[in-house]
Amino acid sequence: MKKILINDTPWQTRIAITRNNELQNIYFWSHTSTNLERSLFKATIIKVLPGIQTAFVDIGQERAGFLHISEIDRELALKKMGIVDEVEDVADYDIPESGDSDEAKDEKALSQPKHNERHQLDISKIFNEGDTVMVQVSKEPMGQKGAKLSTCFTLPGRFLVLMPNIPRIGISKKIEEREERQRLRDLLKAHLPKGMGAIIRTTSEHKVDAEILQDLEYLVGVWQTIVQKYAQAKPKEKIYEDIDLSLQTVRDHLDETVESVICDNTEMQQKIYKCVKSIAPEHSLKVKLYTGTGSIFDEYGIEKQIEQALCKKVFLKSGGSIVIESTEAMTVVDVNTGRYTGKTDLEETILKTNLEAAEETARQLRLRNIGGLIVIDFIDMSPASHRQKLYRTFEKILKERDKFQSVVLKVSEFGLVQMTRKRSGKTLVQQLTQNCLACHGAGFIKSVETEAYQILRHLESNLESKKAHGTVMVHVHKAIFDYISTIEYNTVLYLEKKYKCTIVLNSQKQLCEWGNYTIGNA
């Protein structure tokens, strides 16, 4: 069974989701930081680039956001271009298992605009510099990239995700009964306002009409408030933001599989209880207050599991291991048997290790929030039946346990499994760590010998150009000082004789990097 554990302090809120005491997801919310995803702004167009069909948009943040033409809804595009077109009828779509979550807005087949093929769209004909437009942040800023923006809006609720300007109905494939799917579709078709659409989430299954319509009414009311605020707002002003992280997590994860929601803060526990009481009263008794003496994360072993999730190497219960390394382009996972030798033949041993590695890899991708292109180097298997079993097992685990969309290819001729997983915000490593001051994120530093020789070359260059003369002070790291003063002492004497100067080496313990040094006259 699953548990939702919430550690709330004045400086940070942390939410952990566990399955059989194993950490599956971890979320952090600093009370001084701003979460932009799903927020709506009254934005200003500051630059239009027809060559890449993208507009850069000022939303009042440090970096401008970017809005691609594929993220502009059809009705807005045609209206801006002066083309009169009828609002399309509500259309039906099936969405993948991951689409029942609030992240379903990124499903291309559903939430992206369905542009009329009769009209060739050009972003320079839709927007001019200085125009104001309502936009929603679909992806947080990352690195040097600004926020990804969209005018295809989504408002997540408990049973539905309202799409106020995309007239389509999508339904989770996890709802398998044909009659139930038809009931939900008919219900939404009959009650959705004109021009609006919705995604029917898995939680809607077998819910009475009144509950679903109450959720729809609430979301439509939220949208109407947003429209009113937009009309009165100033440019670059935020006009809507989603509920805080703890309530989002409960809203998106609380279902029949959750055993309890445990919070260590009385005020937060009451806040969550009231929220659950109003949106899912049948689960309200699951919301509990942690009364232990120690930290709730220590009590349930979460702290240790977070630390382990920052390591490249993850050990499997059988004795094997997986090594996870990420680059700008992709993430690579390498599977090793380790000390596990098995009790039967070699092929069975390899299959068992690969199956265990597949389950652990799926968990680590969720836990570390790794997205994009992922390549997994499983241990080579000769039997085709074993390769097929591995592929089916891995795909099944991802579909059942991961709410983000993923696409997995079959085992390649090189024994690799390639997959993609939807990106969403920063990875766990990006959230909890920063680049090393010594290696600057490279994972290695130059040797003492290499740095010492570089300093000597720089010293000679300064002496040659007369930038340094007389008594020359060289401040270096203690390790560099020890190397030059012992191994390369004769080199120092040679430079003094050649350039008729005195060289004084000074050991600086406070220098944190070998490559930090200064050369100058005394």
Side-chain angles (χ1 to χ4, degrees):
M1 291 290 286
K2 291 164 57 179
K3 289 187 178 72
I4 300 177
L5 308 173
I6 303 173
N7 169 228
D8 185 61
T9 61
W11 55 90
Q12 186 185 49
T13 299
R14 300 184 297 173
I15 302 102
I17 299 176
T18 66
R19 182 192 296 272
N20 299 326
N21 298 321
E22 274 194 334
L23 184 60
Q24 304 295 318
N25 300 87
I26 183 76
Y27 304 99
F28 303 90
W29 175 40
S30 171
H31 296 176
T32 58
S33 65
T34 303
N35 181 33
L36 294 181
E37 193 163 345
R38 304 189 196 94
S39 296
L40 283 93
F41 292 84
K42 185 172 186 176
T44 303
I45 305 294
I46 57 176
K47 197 167 187 179
V48 179
L49 302 176
I52 57 175
Q53 291 295 299
T54 297
F56 285 91
V57 184
D58 189 351
I59 56 173
Q61 302 300 309
E62 183 179 352
R63 291 183 296 277
F66 61 95
L67 174 63
H68 189 260
I69 195 167
S70 63
E71 294 290 341
I72 301 174
D73 72 275
R74 170 177 173 267
E75 186 179 358
L76 173 65
L78 296 179
K79 181 180 178 182
K80 286 282 190 177
M81 292 176 67
I83 300 171
V84 179
D85 201 40
E86 292 293 328
V87 176
E88 64 181 273
D89 293 332
V90 175
D92 288 346
Y93 291 85
D94 284 345
I95 57 177
E97 288 81 347
S98 58
D100 62 306
S101 70
D102 54 308
E103 286 80 14
K105 58 181 177 292
D106 286 323
E107 295 292 342
K108 290 185 178 179
L110 186 62
S111 62
Q112 281 193 344
K114 187 178 180 182
H115 294 305
N116 195 322
E117 295 179 359
R118 293 176 300 168
H119 308 295
Q120 182 66 39
L121 298 185
D122 184 349
I123 199 164
S124 63
K125 296 178 181 178
I126 299 173
F127 292 122
N128 296 309
E129 293 182 11
D131 287 353
T132 57
V133 60
M134 187 191 301
V135 296
Q136 184 173 37
V137 177
S138 58
K139 284 188 180 179
E140 293 272 355
M142 183 177 294
Q144 297 302 313
K145 294 182 180 179
K148 182 180 178 182
L149 307 175
S150 176
T151 67
C152 307
F153 309 117
T154 56
L155 298 175
R158 174 161 168 74
F159 303 117
L160 308 169
V161 178
L162 181 69
M163 299 186 294
N165 60 341
I166 306 293
R168 312 180 200 180
I169 294 178
I171 183 167
S172 170
K173 284 186 178 178
K174 285 187 177 180
I175 302 176
E176 298 178 347
E177 295 178 18
R178 182 178 299 179
E179 294 78 8
E180 179 64 6
R181 294 172 69 86
Q182 192 59 49
R183 179 186 77 89
L184 293 170
R185 277 199 177 100
D186 293 343
L187 179 65
L188 265 293
K189 278 185 177 181
H191 292 87
L192 271 170
K194 186 177 181 181
M196 291 190 180
I199 297 168
I200 302 172
R201 305 178 69 174
T202 307
T203 50
S204 299
E205 188 171 17
H206 299 306
K207 296 296 180 182
V208 297
D209 293 0
E211 288 184 281
I212 297 173
L213 293 178
Q214 183 181 8
D215 197 34
L216 175 62
E217 183 181 358
Y218 167 75
L219 294 174
V220 171
V222 171
W223 174 247
Q224 292 171 345
T225 302
I226 289 171
V227 172
Q228 293 172 3
K229 286 185 176 180
Y230 177 79
Q232 302 169 359
K234 298 177 181 178
K236 300 184 286 188
E237 183 179 336
K238 183 190 288 186
I239 55 177
Y240 171 81
E241 62 181 358
D242 205 357
I243 55 180
D244 66 49
L245 182 62
S246 55
L247 297 180
Q248 284 182 43
T249 306
V250 171
R251 177 192 66 196
D252 296 338
H253 290 273
L254 184 59
D255 56 25
E256 288 73 17
T257 65
V258 174
E259 178 184 352
S260 55
V261 179
I262 308 174
C263 183
D264 62 359
N265 179 287
T266 304
E267 185 178 345
M268 177 63 75
Q269 186 261 343
Q270 288 297 317
K271 184 178 179 180
I272 294 172
Y273 176 79
K274 290 179 181 177
C275 177
V276 175
K277 186 76 173 176
S278 63
I279 65 173
E282 69 275 16
H283 297 303
S284 59
L285 294 180
K286 295 180 179 180
V287 182
K288 303 173 183 177
L289 179 67
Y290 174 70
T291 56
T293 54
S295 165
I296 184 173
F297 272 28
D298 283 331
E299 176 70 22
Y300 288 92
I302 304 301
E303 297 287 8
K304 185 177 180 181
Q305 293 187 63
I306 293 174
E307 290 297 323
Q308 291 171 344
L310 296 176
C311 299
K312 289 183 179 180
K313 194 167 190 176
V314 180
F315 290 98
L316 305 176
K317 294 176 182 178
S318 65
S321 65
I322 60 175
V323 178
I324 305 171
E325 296 192 75
S326 295
T327 67
E328 286 289 331
M330 68 178 71
T331 296
V332 179
V333 182
D334 184 39
V335 181
N336 303 296
T337 54
R339 65 177 182 271
Y340 180 65
T341 58
K343 297 180 180 179
T344 55
D345 59 68
L346 177 62
E347 288 298 339
E348 287 298 326
T349 300
I350 293 174
L351 176 61
K352 178 177 172 60
T353 303
N354 279 340
L355 291 175
E356 187 179 358
E359 184 169 358
E360 185 61 31
T361 297
R363 184 176 82 93
Q364 291 295 330
L365 295 179
R366 293 193 308 274
L367 178 55
R368 301 177 187 226
N369 198 27
I370 295 174
L373 179 61
I374 301 161
V375 177
I376 308 166
D377 185 10
F378 287 104
I379 304 166
D380 290 341
M381 296 182 294
S382 298
S385 60
H386 286 188
R387 295 196 298 271
Q388 185 68 10
K389 183 175 182 180
L390 172 63
Y391 166 73
R392 288 178 176 173
T393 300
F394 186 46
E395 189 178 43
K396 183 172 182 288
I397 291 171
L398 287 170
K399 286 184 177 181
E400 289 180 350
R401 301 184 187 177
D402 195 349
K403 67 177 182 176
F404 289 145
Q405 183 188 17
S406 59
V407 178
V408 184
L409 302 183
K410 294 182 178 180
V411 182
S412 74
E413 57 186 297
F414 298 111
L416 305 175
V417 170
Q418 302 170 70
M419 65 171 289
T420 60
R421 183 176 183 269
K422 178 186 172 293
R423 293 184 188 272
S424 177
K426 296 179 180 179
T427 65
L428 185 66
V429 170
Q430 290 171 335
Q431 291 181 73
L432 299 184
T433 66
Q434 64 182 31
N435 282 349
C436 170
L437 296 177
C439 73
H440 303 289
F444 56 84
I445 59 175
K446 293 179 181 178
S447 66
V448 172
E449 179 185 46
T450 302
E451 289 287 4
Y453 292 161
Q454 181 174 324
I455 292 170
L456 289 172
R457 285 193 295 270
H458 192 192
L459 173 60
E460 184 175 25
S461 176
N462 276 278
L463 293 170
E464 183 74 36
S465 62
K466 306 296 185 182
K467 289 181 180 179
H469 53 81
T471 301
V472 181
M473 298 293 296
V474 184
H475 302 277
V476 296
H477 189 279
K478 184 179 183 302
I480 304 293
F481 174 87
D482 292 341
Y483 185 88
I484 295 177
S485 62
T486 55
I487 307 300
E488 295 296 339
Y489 181 70
N490 288 334
T491 300
V492 176
L493 295 178
Y494 163 78
L495 293 174
E496 287 181 329
K497 182 178 179 180
K498 181 178 179 179
Y499 296 102
K500 296 180 176 58
C501 66
T502 301
I503 299 173
V504 180
L505 292 176
N506 183 18
S507 174
Q508 296 285 320
K509 293 182 179 180
Q510 68 269 26
L511 291 177
C512 62
E513 299 180 50
W514 296 346
N516 280 352
Y517 61 91
T518 57
I519 299 173
N521 295 320

